[in-house]
Amino acid sequence: MLAAIDRNPTAEANAPLTLLRPDVRFVPSHQYGMALTIAGISKTYPNGVRALKNLSLTIGNGMFGLLGPNGAGKSSLMRTIATLQDPDSGSITLDGLDVLTQKNEVRKVLGYLPQEFGVYPKLSAVEMLNHLAVLKGIGSASERKEMIDALLQQTNLWDVRKKAISTYSGGMKQRFGVAQALLANPRLIIVDEPTAGLDPAERNRFLNLLASIGRDVTIILSTHIVDDVRELCSRMAIIASGEVLLEGSPTESLATLDGQIWSRVLSTDEELHAIEAELQVVSSHLVGGQHEVRVFAPSSPGDGFRHVPSGLEDVYFLAVSRHSKN
């Protein structure tokens, strides 16, 4: 069964994103300056894994990026916000609603796309969306049809609307996941690792879709892919080991590293190990079989290093690296 919730921004991209279908787009029946407040949330699972540690965030309208490595606690936080599990302590309020005690009311205004979701494989997109719309409490057949037709147009699934969902590509299934999350005009949409495993073309289509939706509602984009956040989100947070390491706008976060990122190409592994022992390495990757290392330093680390512009990946890797050393 699809993990839908039942009821019974400004992009940071280098170039503007183009909508998939500029003539058809999701238009909510509301315009809210919504606020999601997460205060002191902690969660430890029965196996002893402490997924969230006194985590606090405030999320307003628009696209909000939640960055973190695998195992950082992103999915645990998303499931808690989506009323699918209770924390051990802390509170969450959504525009005046207590998320932990008013779950049914929260579910009425929530759309959720988890990392993995199942569907009835033999059903078409139209049939599945109609079934889910009934579960969401949309009783009018004409209202369901109008909403479903518009969502299928916007998610670029209209031409395959009568085909079994089991025949869809990975990207098409993700776009169907967005369509089901948009049923009943939600005020808050949660998408968990939505572009993992997508090819570049499908990723671009998916990001364009999120960008068009994010103008009207609050979307929490949970991911470990830095470019997704850079291209879409006006606000972001980095978490690791269940804790918030950084919160702010991508532009503000980049400004903190301005003029302090340096790069050098190394010919041997020994050179890399020596640099790692002496300097604060942000990241390293192979270029033509050689290591290109990026380091953080207020001034030039020495011969061979050249100043390079900072990127959001530098912010991310530096925050996670500092946390892992503490």
Side-chain angles (χ1 to χ4, degrees):
M1 177 64 187
L2 184 65
I5 302 300
D6 307 341
R7 190 158 130 189
N8 278 33
T10 301
E12 292 281 334
N14 292 329
L17 293 172
T18 302
L19 303 188
L20 294 171
R21 288 289 307 269
D23 56 320
V24 180
R25 61 192 298 266
F26 170 71
V27 180
S29 59
H30 47 73
Q31 295 292 336
Y32 288 91
M34 197 212 66
L36 177 71
T37 303
I38 303 162
I41 289 293
S42 294
K43 178 68 176 180
T44 300
Y45 292 109
N47 62 3
V49 173
R50 194 178 179 194
L52 301 171
K53 305 174 185 176
N54 197 35
L55 186 147
S56 298
L57 281 172
T58 298
I59 299 172
N61 205 36
M63 292 281 294
F64 186 91
L66 189 65
L67 272 172
N70 292 331
K74 301 187 303 298
S75 292
S76 292
L77 180 59
M78 298 301 95
R79 286 178 56 81
T80 305
I81 298 170
T83 74
L84 297 178
Q85 68 179 21
D86 291 326
D88 300 325
S89 60
S91 64
I92 305 176
T93 58
L94 175 61
D95 213 22
L97 294 174
D98 188 322
V99 173
L100 305 183
T101 62
Q102 296 176 276
K103 294 181 180 180
N104 287 336
E105 293 303 309
V106 171
R107 290 168 183 171
K108 294 176 184 179
V109 297
L110 175 67
Y112 181 44
L113 175 59
Q115 285 189 50
E116 298 180 4
F117 60 91
V119 295
Y120 297 121
K122 294 183 180 180
L123 292 187
S124 69
V126 170
E127 293 168 330
M128 192 70 201
L129 287 174
N130 186 69
H131 172 68
L132 292 170
V134 171
L135 293 178
K136 282 263 191 173
I138 305 172
S140 167
S142 60
E143 183 183 352
R144 290 198 303 271
K145 184 180 186 306
E146 182 180 0
M147 179 177 291
I148 290 167
D149 286 354
L151 289 173
L152 288 169
Q153 292 276 16
Q154 187 180 4
T155 53
N156 209 25
L157 294 173
W158 179 258
D159 292 340
V160 294
R161 66 191 183 280
K162 296 182 180 179
K163 292 186 177 180
I165 299 172
S166 60
T167 66
Y168 286 7
S169 68
M172 291 162 66
K173 288 178 180 177
Q174 287 294 76
R175 283 185 272 133
F176 173 83
V178 169
Q180 65 82 24
L182 288 175
L183 284 168
N185 292 343
R187 288 158 52 191
L188 170 65
I189 300 171
I190 298 171
V191 286
D192 195 359
E193 301 286 356
T195 62
L198 298 186
D199 65 43
E202 279 289 7
R203 175 181 172 273
N204 285 339
R205 292 190 191 101
F206 191 85
L207 294 183
N208 287 341
L209 175 59
L210 288 182
S212 69
I213 298 164
R215 296 186 181 96
D216 303 313
V217 298
T218 295
I219 298 181
I220 302 176
L221 172 64
S222 171
T223 183
H224 66 278
I225 301 174
V226 176
D227 280 347
D228 288 355
V229 172
R230 179 183 61 81
E231 294 177 19
L232 292 175
C233 301
S234 58
R235 301 287 297 175
M236 59 172 277
I238 299 173
I239 72 170
S241 303
E243 300 176 280
V244 176
L245 309 184
L246 179 150
E247 181 181 4
S249 76
T251 302
E252 292 169 350
S253 301
L254 279 171
T256 64
L257 300 187
D258 190 33
Q260 301 179 88
I261 299 296
W262 307 82
S263 175
R264 178 179 169 183
V265 175
L266 309 175
S267 57
T268 66
D269 291 343
E270 288 72 20
E271 283 183 290
L272 176 61
H273 297 325
I275 294 294
E276 290 174 334
E278 296 177 8
L279 299 171
Q280 190 163 15
V281 174
V282 176
S283 63
S284 66
H285 61 280
L286 290 173
V287 177
Q290 294 183 309
H291 294 285
E292 181 176 357
V293 63
R294 294 171 72 92
V295 304
F296 172 79
S299 58
S300 175
D303 291 340
F305 281 97
R306 60 186 179 87
H307 173 258
V308 291
S310 58
L312 198 58
E313 281 198 351
D314 296 317
V315 175
Y316 172 67
F317 285 129
L318 188 59
V320 173
S321 174
R322 286 172 171 172
H323 174 76
S324 66
K325 292 177 180 178
N326 291 337

